[in-house]
Amino acid sequence: MPELPEVEVVRLFLDNHLIGKTISNLEILNKKSFTGDPKKIINQKITKTSRIGKQLSIHLKNNLILLFHLKMTGQIIYSPLFSRGMPAGQGVSTFGHPTPKEDKSTLPNKSTRLVFTFSNGSKLFFNDQRKFGWVKLFTSNELDDSQKNLGLDILSSKFTSKYFYQQIQNTTRPIKVVLLDQSKFAGIGNIYANDALFLSKINPQTPSNKISFKKALLLHHFLIQIMTESIKAGGSTAKDNKYIHPDGSSGQHQFNFQVYQRAGEPCLVCQTPIKRITLAGRGTFYCPKCQK
DNA sequence: CTTCTTGTTACTGA
DNA sequence: ATCAGTAACAAGAA
């Protein structure tokens, strides 16, 4: 569920708080959440962060890279120093001993899968209720190889209207489905695909190659605009998404949703009830009157 | 109890 | 080879 804007908000936070810090420990609470040899990151300094689409990279001094994908329910939460409450990360495993009423503000919690500890005592928690997300340790070449099928990032300067138009011209699939295809452009998920199509007044079922050049220009424009605005708003914390800012706060862009998760509610332009259909197995929201 | 949800990949069939 | 559709993954909400 976290899409480009949410991942970028997380990246900006980590860039501000983790650069120069040294990893002193990694605790793996769910084996499938981490791939690689955890020993290779110990005593390594964090040098920079980067992002393509929904994938976040943390680069280490030894040139290895930690690649994060939050998938649907992943969270990255940073806590400076735990001076009060339960000491973070020291937690006795609750496996087999579920706490009935766990304090949500206490970390690690039920959905904590990984805990990174830094040499100054601060910690980074990777939470993921549904365990679809992951962190993988890669060499530079392995990272390039794993991302070779990713299209251009929506906020890349190379993501031009010309590139966009070319990419949507070579398929007949519904435009909504094409927008979600990470091999064409990286970073769009269900929220922004639905809302960008609404702003562009394009029906999500329109065959991609039937989109006029003029409409393609509009869609390209709104995709960039909506992503940029959401980043400024701290991303979207929706009803069923687990996204939160690394400091624990919520995003604000969900208050700007145009059609996403608004089935049955009036269109913000013409008051017609927003319709919900399924495209490629995904919930799709649109105004039947505004989006032709 | 069943059904639905979501991002991505693996698989299946055209 | 290429394209499109769908099951699978996991956990929880309805």
Side-chain angles (χ1 to χ4, degrees), chain A residues 45-276:
Chain A
K45 196 170 270 193
I46 291 172
T47 56
K48 68 166 185 171
T49 65
S50 60
R51 182 191 56 74
I52 301 179
K54 305 169 190 173
Q55 303 190 11
L56 170 64
S57 298
I58 294 180
H59 302 250
L60 306 177
K61 190 73 198 305
N62 61 2
N63 293 322
L64 294 181
I65 297 123
L66 286 164
L67 182 69
F68 289 68
H69 199 310
L70 302 176
K71 292 290 179 87
M72 269 93 71
T73 59
Q75 300 174 327
I76 291 175
I77 305 167
Y78 179 71
S79 61
L81 279 166
F82 274 72
S83 51
R84 284 186 283 165
M86 182 189 289
Q90 299 242 339
V92 181
S93 169
T94 56
F95 183 70
H97 305 280
T99 317
K101 279 178 187 167
E102 207 161 0
D103 182 357
K104 281 183 185 172
S105 63
T106 302
L107 290 168
N109 64 24
K110 193 181 168 189
S111 58
T112 301
R113 309 304 176 197
L114 304 170
V115 184
F116 296 84
T117 304
F118 302 100
S119 53
N120 72 343
S122 60
K123 289 173 185 293
L124 192 72
F125 297 90
F126 179 76
N127 286 2
D128 186 17
Q129 181 187 94
R130 283 157 70 182
K131 301 181 183 173
F132 281 14
W134 42 253
V135 179
K136 296 178 181 177
L137 184 62
F138 283 135
T139 63
S140 184
N141 285 340
E142 288 166 348
L143 179 69
D144 291 345
D145 193 52
S146 83
Q147 297 186 324
K148 68 177 189 292
N149 292 327
L150 274 185
L152 286 179
D153 187 272
I154 301 302
L155 296 185
S156 159
S157 58
K158 292 178 183 171
F159 179 68
T160 60
S161 52
K162 189 180 166 191
Y163 171 87
F164 179 68
Y165 186 61
Q166 284 169 352
Q167 289 294 308
I168 65 173
Q169 279 304 294
N170 59 17
T171 177
T172 61
R173 304 159 83 195
I175 183 65
K176 158 79 188 319
V177 178
V178 175
L179 289 180
L180 297 178
D181 185 344
Q182 304 297 303
S183 69
K184 289 186 177 292
F185 358 87
I188 308 173
N190 219 12
I191 293 173
Y192 302 100
N194 280 291
D195 275 9
L197 285 168
F198 173 82
L199 293 170
S200 311
K201 301 188 186 300
I202 298 170
N203 187 300
Q205 299 163 101
T206 311
S208 185
N209 63 349
K210 293 289 192 331
I211 305 272
S212 69
F213 183 65
K214 209 174 164 182
K215 286 278 192 186
L217 284 183
L218 263 184
L219 186 49
H220 173 262
H221 165 79
F222 280 120
L223 280 169
I224 295 169
Q225 178 178 293
I226 203 171
M227 296 279 181
T228 306
E229 284 182 356
S230 179
I231 291 168
K232 283 185 199 159
S236 301
T237 299
K239 289 186 192 107
D240 65 341
N241 97 3
K242 291 282 166 183
Y243 167 74
I244 52 170
H245 190 270
D247 69 7
S249 63
S250 296
Q252 297 297 310
H253 183 76
Q254 64 276 17
F255 300 118
N256 301 329
F257 285 173
Q258 305 291 306
V259 291
Y260 183 69
Q261 285 183 336
R262 296 193 61 246
E265 295 174 38
C267 168
L268 298 175
V269 171
C270 74
Q271 273 48 247
T272 301
I274 298 302
K275 203 171 168 185
R276 183 190 189 282

